[in-house]
Each structure stands twice: as structure tokens, then as C-alpha cells.
Amino acid sequence: MNEEKRKPTMEDILELSGIDLLHPGGFDITKRIGEIVEMRGKKVLDVACGRGSLPCYYAKSFRAKIFGVDLNPEMIESSVEKARREDVENLTEFKVADALTLPFKDNSFDVVINECAVGLTSDPQKCLNEMARVTKTGGDIVIHESAWLKEISKEEKVDIAGRLGTVPYTLSEWKEMMEKAGLMHLWTEDWSGLENIYKIRYDRKMKNLNDMFSLWEKIAIIFPRVISKYGIKGIFHAYNSAQRINPLYSDETLGYFLIRGQKSL
Ligand SMILES: C[S@@+](CC[C@H](N)C(=O)[O-])C[C@H]1O[C@@H](n2cnc3c(N)ncnc32)[C@H](O)[C@@H]1O
């Protein structure tokens, strides 16, 4: 285990916790995507699909044909299992793949989505370029990502990105990258605010960010998994990161945005 791996990011903790939806906005933002791209019956790619909750939701709610890819084989196993349990195997297909080298031909999909996972790749611009490459001309690309609302120092940005496990940009920077990937008609919607962060736990009521996990979940699930992977220091690092990061959402330093573009003709 290298030094880096002894310091879990917030993203690592969320993934280790086993919760099935890993983005602010919860199913509300996912539903919104289905509506704005008029997803019914379309061929859709969900890049970094996590545990398959979103592809299964799109398949059930919009009868779309959904392909999901994720770098982590465990996420893909969970996705296949979820599709089987939710009886949408005929509308879903899952594959282990890197968002930076998507295993699909150019112009393959009507809609390509990435929910909360462009900023955590090693090259967000390349990720957007790949998403654009596999989208049909005139097709939709939708992402949602963390964005800086206030200017802070470069050192602080680097520290916070390292603790989060994803790199936030300003909304202008996100839009610039989308344009560089060949997307036009950019459209954004503001999903900032603690009430949207709380929706990650759509299954329980949160009053503050420390409620993300119940005491029972912390003791029975998170602590043992974090300790076994990162050692006891991992718990302290995660605690310190939460103390550093949580206020950034309430004081509106960090926001969250839905961004849609269309592949230019
Ligand atoms: C924040 S979670 C989002 C998962 C899902 N989209 C959701 O919103 O619930 C990030 C996901 O990105 C995946 N991931 C990280 N790097 C990736 C890459 N380079 N290619 C594909 N998936 C990646 C992780 O395995 C994880 O499932």
C-alpha cells in the first residue's frame, strides 16, 4: 500500500460505505436529466455508472436502452445484479471500462451522461472529449459537477481537491472544457446548497453533513472497511477532511451544477 492509499478521500469513503447513489442531487437530478434530454426510447451511455442505480432508474422510468461503464469491476458486478433484481436486464448492458478510453465507436449514442465523475478522472478534458466522440452529431451530453463559487488560493484548491477525491473547477472553466470538446448550446442549472448535498442519502433524513452516515453505519461498516484498507490513520484523515470540507458547502464556497451541451453538427 503506498502513502497515497493511506489517506482516503471523501470519494473513497462514499464508495467504501456501499451506498448505492454517489452524487449530490440524488435521484432528483437524475430524473431531471431524463426529462431535459427527452430520454424515452433513446440509446444512452452512462460513464462511471457506479453501482448501477442510475442506469436502472433510466431504464425503468424512460424505457431507454442504457449502457453503463465503470473502472471498478465491483461497481459493474453490483450494476449487473441490480439490473437483474429490478428486472431491466433487457434494457441495460454493463462493462468495465475507463472513461478516458471508451470502448465504443464514434457517434454511437443519442445521449452520453456522466454523473459526478468527470472531475475525478486524471484528465477531465480527455474524459469530455471521449464522451463527445461517442455521441451522435446533435446528441446530448450531460454532466453534473462541483464548482467553485468563491475565489480561494491555489494551495487551498489543491488541498480540498485532494481531500474530496475530485477536482472542482469554476462554472466558466467547466463550460470552457465542454466547448473545447466540441459541444455547443451549453445550458446550466444550479444545484448548489446543502439541501441538494443531503439528497445523496435519499433513503434517510439528514439535518447536517455529519448525518451522512448513522452511528451504526459508521461503527459496523465504515470504520472496519476504512481501517482494513487505510489503517486507523485513515479514520483520522477522513474526519479531518470532513471538518475542512463541510463548511465549504454551507458558506457557499463550493457549489454544484448540471451542465448540458450538444455535439456540434
Ligand atoms: C462519485 S462516483 C459516481 C457514481 C455514479 N455516477 C453516481 O453518481 O452514483 C464515481 C464513480 O466513478 C468511477 N470512476 C473513477 N474513475 C473512473 C474512470 N477513469 N473511468 C470510469 N469510471 C471511473 C468510480 O469507480 C465510481 O464508481
Side-chain angles (χ1 to χ4, degrees), residues 55-81:
C56 291
Y57 175 83
Y58 291 129
K60 276 194 298 194
S61 306
F62 297 97
R63 308 308 294 170
K65 171 74 186 168
I66 312 278
F67 293 75
V69 296
D70 199 284
L71 194 55
N72 182 344
E74 277 173 34
M75 294 291 183
I76 293 300
E77 272 169 40
S78 299
S79 298
V80 170
E81 175 56 23

